[in-house]
Amino acid sequence: MTSKFMAHTRILAGALIVILATGAVAPARALDQDALKSAAAAGDTAAQRELGEALVFGSEGVAQDVAQGLKLLGEAAAAGDVQAGASLGKILIDGYYTEAEPERAQRLLEQAANAGNRLAQMTLGEALLWGQNLTPDPLRAKTLLQAAAEAGDPEARRILGEQLVGGWILEPDVEAGLALLEQAVAAGDDKAMVSLGGLLLNGTGVKPDVSRAQALFEEAAKAGNGEGLERYGTHLLWSNRSPAQAEDYLRRAGELGRGSAWSTLAEGAMYGYLGGGSRSKFDGYAEKARAAGEEVVAVLEAERLMWGISMRASGPEAIAVLEKAADDGNATAASHLIALVRDGNDYNVRKQPEQARAYLERYAPLLGPDRSAQFAYTIDAASTRQFADFPELKAVYDSHPEWRSLWFGKQIYAANANLAIYIVQLQMKDDGLYTGTVNAFATETTLLAMWHACHRLPDATRCDDSVMHPDVVGALLAR
């Protein structure tokens, strides 16, 4: 089962809860279908909406029929049922139950949002904030999220509060952001507890307050949310401050259902971060992570083989582990395999871009069209060292703004560092930060400009260490 499919499964499993929390009525009980069908056939829009949602979501006692459910929701929305329009708009913008229809979804959500529907305000605001199947519009997103937050929507308070404190997309307003998050925390929103705790732990936009962060994480854990415990445990683990305490926090998070906490423990054990006898703990934690559906375990097993951690090093055996996992449907392993063979490791795996292309063709169904296209681009980048080819590669990069992310930036940098520098040089020229020659080399002038550009990023923590770090170059490319 792929990580993407599992992520969608988790989303679908929680859809009823999310929709109920944000204002739409999604049936979570056995329905009198005959009565609803009769009422719906008679033009009762509330019945059309309730039955339509039940059919789309596959509620208890109702056989899922997405097409018929969408039809009923569309009829109810056309007849003026605002809540039906909001529910249908959410389904069509998310694209989980059916293919996304962004234009229709936006029309429905705008109508419902203008009528004061909290679900529509939250859904459309979030989609416009992140550019989810829509052109990003941060100002409109802020207005919609503010309206939903004022109506008491916990997700809107959390998302808007995070953005106002962090300043990643919206202009920062720390005081207003903290007020929203504190309101959500006071209302018992465990996600907001984790969010505010994370900001305080890392000192993002605020003065660090580790004690308050811990308290918030513990409060969220009482509500069954182990994400904060995982964040704090991971922070302790990789800072190598307290291996025993890190292990305890991560174990507790795992026991609260955070499968990725078991993966982190396995990785920490593999690299010796869990104190004495650390590496002997790998198998136990890897098994727990595997049982939780964590695909990254196959990557960790391959890395142990590749670098000879507690065993003889073998690049071919590492590749075989990744191949088997990918053949079994592990998309994370497939991605790692493609990148590894594309770049090589300067030790026991040779750089073979064309073999990476063959793997991409083989595993494209696992990765999906967007990720496959991104990998194809990086393989093209890895296949050339000719400066004359860079303008064409830059043009392709510019034509796909939807690809931009930290992950994609780091992949470009790994595939062809000179191309990455070339793109960054041109971006910095456009920003007025770089006046040197665009030559794809990390010259002294380029590095200084990158340092200034880095300090404009939302997260500038690595800027003074090395602007050539993959996280910095990747973030500069993702702008």
Side-chain angles (χ1 to χ4, degrees):
M1 182 179 290
T2 69
S3 58
K4 181 179 180 182
F5 179 81
M6 291 183 69
H8 285 185
T9 301
R10 288 193 292 270
I11 290 166
L12 304 189
L16 299 185
I17 297 170
V18 169
I19 291 176
L20 282 168
T22 48
V25 177
R29 53 181 171 78
L31 301 175
D32 184 341
Q33 289 188 67
D34 292 337
L36 272 179
K37 285 178 180 178
S38 297
D44 184 325
T45 58
Q48 289 173 333
R49 168 172 32 86
E50 187 172 5
L51 182 57
E53 289 173 341
L55 289 167
V56 171
F57 304 134
S59 299
E60 183 180 350
V62 179
Q64 191 171 36
D65 185 339
V66 174
Q68 180 61 18
L70 295 176
K71 179 176 180 293
L72 287 168
L73 285 170
E75 290 172 357
D81 189 304
V82 172
Q83 200 157 289
S87 183
L88 180 58
K90 178 172 175 55
I91 292 165
L92 294 178
I93 199 68
D94 288 345
Y96 295 126
Y97 295 93
T98 186
E99 186 175 350
E101 296 182 40
E103 291 185 6
R104 185 185 177 199
Q106 187 166 10
R107 287 197 303 271
L108 288 163
L109 291 169
E110 287 282 8
Q111 290 170 1
N114 291 336
N117 183 274
R118 198 176 81 185
L119 171 65
Q121 292 166 341
M122 169 61 206
T123 303
L124 184 57
E126 189 172 17
L128 291 171
L129 182 70
W130 303 116
Q132 178 195 357
N133 293 324
L134 296 176
T135 302
D137 187 344
L139 292 179
R140 176 64 174 150
K142 181 180 179 181
T143 299
L144 288 162
L145 290 170
Q146 280 179 327
E150 288 168 4
D153 188 284
E155 288 288 298
R157 284 173 173 168
R158 177 178 58 81
I159 292 169
L160 184 57
E162 283 179 343
Q163 287 298 321
L164 291 176
V165 174
W168 297 290
I169 297 176
L170 304 177
E171 283 295 314
D173 185 339
V174 174
E175 184 178 353
L178 288 175
L180 285 168
L181 289 169
E182 292 288 8
Q183 287 172 17
V185 167
D189 182 358
D190 55 278
K191 290 184 179 179
M193 295 171 193
V194 172
S195 176
L196 180 55
L199 295 170
L200 292 170
L201 178 66
N202 298 317
T204 304
V206 294
K207 183 179 179 180
D209 188 340
V210 177
S211 296
R212 177 83 197 287
Q214 285 180 274
L216 287 164
F217 294 153
E218 292 289 358
E219 192 66 24
K222 290 177 184 177
N225 185 339
E227 183 181 354
L229 300 181
E230 182 181 5
R231 287 193 187 190
Y232 188 58
T234 302
H235 169 76
L236 290 173
L237 181 71
W238 299 126
S239 61
N240 207 18
R241 294 182 183 179
S242 175
Q245 194 178 14
E247 188 171 8
D248 179 62
Y249 271 95
L250 287 165
R251 283 182 63 91
R252 290 173 58 203
E255 289 162 0
L256 284 173
R258 299 290 301 180
S260 51
W262 298 124
S263 296
T264 300
L265 280 165
E267 187 174 8
M270 181 176 78
Y271 287 115
Y273 276 76
L274 296 184
S278 178
R279 291 190 171 90
S280 66
K281 299 177 182 180
F282 174 83
D283 289 335
Y285 286 134
E287 184 55 38
K288 286 182 179 292
R290 204 177 289 111
E294 290 294 305
E295 292 189 336
V296 75
V297 175
V299 174
L300 298 179
E301 290 173 333
E303 288 183 349
R304 286 211 305 167
L305 275 164
M306 185 166 61
W307 302 115
I309 301 173
S310 302
M311 60 185 66
R312 179 182 60 84
S314 173
E317 288 182 25
I319 287 175
V321 166
L322 292 171
E323 275 190 355
K324 183 181 184 306
D327 288 338
D328 289 341
N330 186 326
T332 302
S335 293
H336 193 80
L337 175 61
I338 292 165
L340 175 62
V341 176
R342 179 196 65 204
D343 305 328
N345 69 352
D346 296 323
Y347 178 44
N348 53 15
V349 176
R350 289 190 300 115
K351 175 179 176 176
Q352 301 179 80
E354 290 313 307
Q355 179 59 42
R357 204 181 301 278
Y359 280 133
L360 176 58
E361 183 177 347
R362 179 168 160 185
Y363 299 123
L366 277 180
L367 303 175
D370 289 341
R371 183 52 54 90
S372 295
Q374 289 172 302
F375 266 126
Y377 178 88
T378 64
I379 294 170
D380 288 342
S383 300
T384 182
R385 295 293 174 188
Q386 299 297 318
F387 183 83
D389 295 330
F390 287 1
E392 183 177 351
L393 286 167
K394 170 70 161 54
V396 174
Y397 174 83
D398 288 340
S399 69
H400 289 282
E402 74 280 6
W403 286 356
R404 296 190 187 185
S405 67
L406 177 60
W407 175 85
F408 186 49
K410 290 168 71 172
Q411 290 293 320
I412 295 172
Y413 187 42
N416 190 325
N418 293 107
L419 173 64
I421 297 301
Y422 173 80
I423 295 173
V424 169
Q425 285 176 332
L426 287 170
Q427 288 178 334
M428 295 190 301
K429 264 194 176 296
D430 289 341
D431 293 339
L433 295 174
Y434 181 63
T435 56
T437 304
V438 177
N439 55 14
F441 293 117
T443 61
E444 185 176 343
T445 305
T446 300
L447 293 174
L448 180 60
M450 288 174 67
W451 184 86
H452 286 293
C454 183
H455 279 279
R456 291 186 175 187
L457 296 172
D459 183 1
T461 53
R462 288 194 180 273
C463 297
D464 295 328
D465 296 332
S466 171
V467 294
M468 293 299 287
H469 191 282
D471 285 347
V472 174
V473 179
L476 291 174
L477 288 167
R479 290 179 302 161

